[in-house]
Amino acid sequence: LAVSTAVDMQPRPFSEHIHLRLEHYDEDVFNDHRKRMAERAANLSTSSPTAPVPSQPPVRPLPLVGRVVRSRLGIDQRHIHFGTRATGEHTERTLMLHNRSAAPLVFKMTKSGSNASFDLHIPKTCRHGLIRPFGSRAVQLAFRPSLAGPFKETVSVHNVLDATDVVQISVKASVTKRGTFDIRLGGGAVHLDFGD
């Protein structure tokens, strides 16, 4: 679902049954069992009717009981702007990930894979992880541009337990070329002489 409700965040009871039937079994063992059941039925009083002895193993119900909850990822900041930065300058930003549900959330962070994505670094400890129910986790984004010009990259945060829960974060910056300098010697000199 694109939109989650408060009901999705809280556990709700789940109850179901599956039915099991033996397809392959030891007929001698089952026949001995049927014989013992028939003898037990014969020993009971005739005033108490008994169920017939089955000719094959009966279908057994297996109850499944639990609580179901949908894990939801929340990110307050969908846009990150590093401002104006020079090439080679190192800058970091912190991004907060929130678990909006009562179930643990497993997340994974990915980049677009474009050439610009190599200037944005996500530490290994922040690329994937676990967030406790209704908890938060801080992840770091490190930016070191290599080329001057406008920078734009998209970082995707995936909820591993729900393929439809993906949050995209737009990362932008304006990168300038690092300033350089030159030395001009007066009087037409071409060498610097520091003496002895």
Side-chain angles (χ1 to χ4, degrees):
L1 296 177
V3 179
S4 64
T5 63
V7 178
D8 293 328
M9 311 304 179
Q10 297 295 335
R12 57 184 177 84
F14 168 81
S15 179
E16 191 56 76
H17 288 80
I18 61 175
H19 300 276
L20 306 176
R21 181 177 61 187
L22 282 176
E23 293 290 341
H24 304 284
Y25 54 90
D26 190 328
E27 294 187 2
D28 293 335
V29 174
F30 181 69
N31 289 334
D32 291 341
H33 174 70
R34 289 183 66 235
K35 182 179 179 180
R36 288 194 299 271
M37 291 189 63
E39 292 175 352
R40 183 179 303 173
N43 293 333
L44 294 177
S45 174
T46 55
S47 61
S48 301
T50 59
V53 179
S55 60
Q56 60 182 3
V59 176
R60 300 291 187 183
L62 176 64
L64 301 176
V65 180
R67 295 191 303 168
V68 181
V69 65
R70 179 186 297 251
S71 63
R72 302 304 294 177
L73 173 66
I75 299 178
D76 297 331
Q77 190 175 3
R78 302 293 182 94
H79 303 275
I80 297 177
H81 204 296
F82 282 93
T84 302
R85 293 290 181 264
T87 55
E89 182 180 357
H90 180 84
T91 312
E92 290 188 357
R93 290 285 188 274
T94 300
L95 182 67
M96 294 300 298
L97 308 182
H98 305 283
N99 183 359
R100 307 287 192 193
S101 67
L105 186 143
V106 182
F107 73 91
K108 177 180 69 174
M109 299 183 66
T110 60
K111 298 184 293 184
S112 67
S114 65
N115 291 335
S117 66
F118 293 99
D119 294 340
L120 189 67
H121 177 67
I122 304 174
K124 289 185 178 180
T125 55
C126 298
R127 293 176 190 173
H128 48 78
L130 180 71
I131 306 177
R132 61 182 176 81
F134 300 110
S136 301
R137 178 167 175 175
V139 296
Q140 303 296 323
L141 298 178
F143 179 55
R144 187 189 296 272
S146 58
L147 297 175
F151 174 86
K152 185 177 180 180
E153 171 63 9
T154 300
V155 175
S156 299
V157 185
H158 304 260
N159 181 350
V160 177
L161 302 178
D162 185 355
T164 64
D165 190 12
V166 180
V167 179
Q168 292 187 333
I169 303 165
S170 176
V171 182
K172 297 181 180 180
S174 179
V175 184
T176 61
K177 188 176 180 180
R178 185 179 292 275
T180 59
F181 67 93
D182 58 0
I183 299 176
R184 297 182 180 181
L185 302 178
V190 294
H191 296 90
L192 286 177
D193 186 2
F194 289 97
D196 296 332

